Amino acid sequence: MKHFLQETDFTRDEVVQIFSMARHFKQERGRHEKPLAGQTWAMIFAKSSTRTRVSFEVGLHELGGNPLFLNTNDIQIGRGEPISDTAKVLGRFVHGLVVRTYAHGDIMGLAQDSGVPVVNALTDFLHPCQIYTDAFTAAERWAGPDGDLFASLQGRKVAFLGDTGFNMANSWILGANLFGMKVSLGGPASDGPGKLIRMMANKMGGSFHFTSDPYEAVAGADIVYTDVWASMGQEGESAERQKRMMPFQVTKKLFEAAKPDALFMHCLPAHAGEEVTQEVLDHPRCVIFDEAENRLHVQKAILAMLARERG
């Protein structure tokens, strides 16, 4: 059974197909085929969301499917039922699962026992749908309407600033290597990439650069990327994290230290005045709303690919 739990669950050839489908779905929105017609996909959300929930619900509808939203407070998994039991039951009702949760092990358990495709809509360890979307968004700019999207990413550099030990940084480590890009991480030494993501990068033959100098991180970067400093579940550490990560705030000065045509990206929601200044958010090369829009089209392509693989 094919799942999408991490960036490397698809090969480079499959990523090329996903990007092509995403472009097609975007250009032909409202007119394209419906590969999920007659299917019901459950959406299990332990974490609240705006972009992820709306983009998946709309996407499933546009592919002809029926989204079934399940908050963990409304199902037995939130009351102590084993992950394996929930997976086995839901797998007999639905055609696939979209899961947004805290522990990465939970989503792996659902994939192991459900018997249906499972999509990682975010865990504390990885956010693969976002990274595919970010790469697609940049490729749109660089390749144009008819160019080779995947080829346009080759050799490009992304600089990630801030908490380099959490899900978005982890996903860029895996994603950049899969896409043929270079990744440089800039953050406090205490918040650097963890042992597991280092092992995963080594296993795929990939590499990354980590530094505690933000200007070294962004030098020669085609993309400057950041994320919130305190994610859901870390709110109690917010003040301490802000103090620790303030040197890595993306200011206009830091952004201008990247390539002259560099893009600024953020997965949203953004906290102006914390991880990024309002001046950068208002910059003409800030593409955060393009990223948000493209979540719909890239996720539709991922769902369509999984449906195709299942047959």
Side-chain angles (χ1 to χ4, degrees):
M1 179 62 59
K2 185 83 166 181
H3 305 287
F4 186 54
L5 309 183
Q6 63 188 47
E7 287 71 13
T8 51
D9 283 340
F10 287 119
T11 66
R12 288 191 173 191
D13 286 344
E14 287 172 328
V15 175
V16 170
Q17 295 176 56
I18 287 169
F19 284 2
S20 178
M21 280 195 288
R23 175 190 266 167
H24 168 70
F25 287 148
K26 186 173 183 177
Q27 293 174 342
E28 299 297 322
R29 187 177 183 189
R31 301 184 297 273
H32 60 68
E33 60 277 16
K34 300 182 183 298
L36 300 190
Q39 296 189 18
T40 297
W41 283 60
M43 298 170 53
I44 302 175
F45 277 46
K47 286 189 173 187
S48 59
S49 166
T50 300
R51 282 151 295 279
T52 301
R53 177 175 177 178
V54 173
S55 59
F56 268 112
E57 282 206 35
V58 172
L60 284 161
H61 274 298
E62 292 189 359
L63 292 175
N66 174 46
L68 176 65
F69 183 78
L70 301 172
N71 186 297
T72 51
N73 293 326
D74 301 327
I75 58 177
Q76 295 301 323
I77 196 172
R79 301 174 185 174
E81 182 176 56
I83 293 288
S84 60
D85 288 3
T86 299
K88 290 171 184 175
V89 169
L90 288 177
R92 298 187 180 208
F93 293 150
V94 302
H95 298 87
L97 302 174
V98 175
V99 185
R100 180 180 172 94
T101 190
Y102 291 89
H104 196 72
D106 288 352
I107 201 169
M108 293 176 68
L110 288 166
Q112 178 178 321
D113 293 316
S114 67
V116 296
V118 177
V119 176
N120 180 356
L122 178 142
T123 67
D124 283 350
F125 185 59
L126 293 172
H127 196 358
C129 290
Q130 182 68 54
I131 294 303
Y132 273 46
T133 298
D134 296 333
F136 175 81
T137 301
E140 267 192 321
R141 289 285 183 115
W142 296 331
D146 302 310
D148 188 325
L149 294 166
F150 194 81
S152 73
L153 300 174
Q154 305 308 297
R156 300 279 190 168
K157 176 182 173 179
V158 57
F160 184 94
L161 285 302
D163 184 353
T164 61
F166 209 58
N167 53 14
M168 287 304 301
N170 290 342
S171 279
W172 265 120
I173 289 172
L174 296 183
N177 282 286
L178 176 65
F179 305 141
M181 302 172 72
K182 297 175 285 187
V183 60
S184 181
L185 309 168
S190 59
D191 298 273
K195 182 178 180 180
L196 178 56
I197 196 65
R198 291 176 182 271
M199 290 174 57
M200 292 173 70
N202 288 336
K203 186 176 180 180
M204 68 182 295
S207 62
F208 62 88
H209 175 245
F210 174 73
T211 177
S212 290
D213 181 344
Y215 287 89
E216 179 184 347
V218 304
D222 298 282
I223 297 171
V224 176
Y225 204 111
T226 192
D227 191 12
V228 296
W229 291 336
S231 297
M232 281 179 278
Q234 299 175 323
E235 290 83 359
E237 308 169 31
S238 182
E240 180 184 346
R241 282 176 163 270
Q242 285 191 36
K243 182 178 179 181
R244 193 164 71 241
M245 296 186 190
M246 187 56 73
F248 303 92
Q249 180 186 67
V250 181
T251 62
K252 182 181 179 183
K253 180 181 178 183
L254 182 59
F255 184 41
E256 289 177 344
K259 284 186 176 178
D261 58 350
L263 304 175
F264 173 75
M265 290 187 161
H266 191 304
C267 58
L268 299 178
H271 297 163
E274 294 181 17
E275 72 272 10
V276 59
T277 63
Q278 188 64 52
E279 192 173 20
V280 174
L281 292 171
D282 292 335
H283 197 284
R285 283 185 277 111
C286 172
V287 295
I288 56 176
F289 297 111
D290 291 338
E291 294 172 79
E293 176 186 2
N294 285 334
R295 284 284 297 277
L296 171 63
H297 308 296
V298 173
Q299 287 167 181
K300 283 164 65 176
I302 290 168
L303 292 166
M305 178 68 82
L306 291 174
R308 178 194 297 176
E309 290 283 342
R310 186 180 183 193

